[in-house]
């Protein structure tokens, strides 16, 4: 499945990553990758209950990474692969500042 992941930050051009079917990441590997990034970046859950949905994890990791991390094309590619795998949508738009995702 082809997919596109777009991540936007205030006052910057959105980062758009196109993925072909050959670039798909296994769902379990994607979860592990996002968990590792969440921990490494010392992210906090969005909800006061501490429950963290995969969509929340994707947006919080994107926000913590910021435009600087997304300038690293290898990291941005891995993020897009993980987001696409865990969310299972062909088009994903992440607004890191608003902490929102649209499909």
């Amino acid at each position: 499945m082809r997919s596109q992941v777009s991540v936007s930050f205030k006052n910057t051009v959105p980062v758009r990553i196109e993925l072909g079917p050959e670039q798909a990441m296994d769902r379990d590997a994607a979860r592990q990758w996002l968990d590792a990034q969440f921990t490494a970046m010392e992210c906090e859950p969005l909800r006061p209950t501490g429950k963290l949905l995969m969509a929340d994890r994707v947006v919080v990791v994107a926000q913590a990474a910021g435009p600087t991390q997304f300038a690293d094309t290898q990291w941005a590619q891995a993020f897009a692969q993980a987001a696409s795998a865990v969310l299972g949508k062909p088009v994903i738009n992440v607004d890191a500042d608003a902490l929102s995702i649209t499909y």
Side-chain angles (χ1 to χ4, degrees):
M1 169 174 84
R2 296 193 66 75
S3 60
Q4 176 187 9
V5 178
S6 177
V7 182
S8 62
F9 299 94
K10 189 174 186 175
N11 300 324
T12 64
V13 175
V15 177
R16 284 185 174 65
I17 303 113
E18 300 280 337
L19 300 171
E22 71 284 355
Q23 296 170 301
M25 184 183 281
D26 175 73
R27 188 174 173 93
D28 288 335
R31 284 177 182 262
Q32 290 174 358
W33 189 89
L34 283 168
D35 287 345
Q37 296 303 307
F38 188 87
T39 302
M41 294 180 187
E42 300 179 356
C43 298
E44 297 289 328
L46 289 178
R47 302 173 196 291
T49 61
K51 184 174 182 176
L52 191 63
L53 305 173
M54 287 313 295
D56 293 341
R57 193 168 303 251
V58 168
V59 76
V60 169
V61 167
Q63 181 191 46
T68 304
Q69 188 69 47
F70 277 93
D72 175 347
T73 55
Q74 187 174 8
W75 190 92
Q77 181 84 16
F79 175 86
Q81 290 170 311
S84 181
V86 298
L87 299 176
K89 303 289 184 182
V91 177
I92 300 167
N93 299 301
V94 179
D95 183 334
D97 295 315
L99 295 174
S100 68
I101 295 180
T102 56
Y103 307 106

